[in-house]
Amino acid sequence: GTVNFVLSYTVAVRFSCDYLLTDGFISNATLGIDDFDARENYTLRAKLLWAPTEDLDFTLGFQALQSDRGQNLTRFDLTDPGDRTALGNLVDRENLDGQLATLHANWSLTDNITLRSITSYLNTDYDRFDDDDQGPGGDNAFRGREAFDRNWAEELRLDYETETLSGTVGLYYIDIEGENNTTGLVNIQPALLGVPDILL
């Protein structure tokens, strides 16, 4: 859905959103869950345009998204691929939350030269948890990931355009802060590896 409002001769706003809800197509026979890869996603966007003169305009934008979903992983060596059945003994999940803010500025210095500025900030948080072997055994063995990104960026451009020649010169700066932590637990039973009872 999208809606636009003209507030004045120089100001306009736009709001939009999209939403997805589904129970998926994978069931889990081990846990008895029919909607094992159910997911819910939404994105919200807002923009504000201010054009005080014919030669100058600013667009402020904001976007937020969230994604919560199960996993559609199956082991083809344990089930028929056409069954779409998972056998893991742990509940898999994947989640993403993000926000993006931008400011675009355009200034027509002459009929042929335009100065443009794009400033942006991105913030995301991500986590994931998977059954390690995707099978009915393995106890509590898992693979997991947690990550975040915090990014500032600035792009400054000088555009030149005529009927016969066009070109761009500019500067770009970005500052990235991020972290990506991957953890896991693998259950290997010594007895299954042939370790003698006396050592166990």
Side-chain angles (χ1 to χ4, degrees), residues 36-65:
F36 195 60
D37 67 328
R39 64 196 67 184
E40 183 177 17
N41 304 332
Y42 75 80
T43 305
L44 304 175
R45 300 181 186 89
K47 283 189 174 183
L48 171 66
L49 169 66
W50 179 44
T53 69
E54 292 183 356
D55 299 326
L56 181 64
D57 65 78
F58 301 90
T59 303
L60 179 64
F62 178 77
Q63 175 175 308
L65 65 90

Side-chain angles (χ1 to χ4, degrees), residues 66-179:
Q66 184 175 30
S67 174
D68 299 308
R69 54 171 290 176
Q71 288 296 341
N72 56 1
L73 303 175
T74 62
R75 278 185 55 178
F76 287 175
D77 61 324
L78 297 180
T79 61
D80 186 318
D83 289 343
R84 300 185 182 276
T85 301
L87 296 176
N89 64 323
L90 301 175
V91 177
D92 301 329
R93 68 176 188 276
E94 185 176 20
N95 302 308
L96 174 67
D97 290 293
Q99 300 83 38
L100 173 64
T102 58
L103 176 62
H104 291 240
N106 301 297
W107 185 15
S108 297
L109 303 177
T110 69
D111 291 339
N112 307 111
I113 300 176
T114 303
L115 179 63
R116 305 183 192 278
S117 170
I118 303 174
T119 307
S120 64
Y121 176 71
L122 174 67
N123 175 64
T124 61
D125 292 283
Y126 174 83
D127 69 88
R128 179 170 179 167
F129 182 90
D130 291 317
D131 188 307
D132 183 64
D133 64 356
Q134 294 298 320
D139 295 326
N140 59 341
F142 73 93
R143 285 171 291 157
R145 178 179 169 215
E146 292 185 356
F148 74 82
D149 287 286
R150 313 285 186 263
N151 300 344
W152 277 103
E154 171 62 32
E155 180 177 347
L156 195 62
R157 295 202 316 256
L158 196 63
D159 294 340
Y160 176 79
E161 184 172 1
T162 66
E163 293 182 358
T164 57
L165 179 66
S166 64
T168 297
V169 62
L171 297 171
Y172 181 75
Y173 171 81
I174 186 168
D175 182 6
I176 301 175
E177 177 187 2
E179 188 172 292

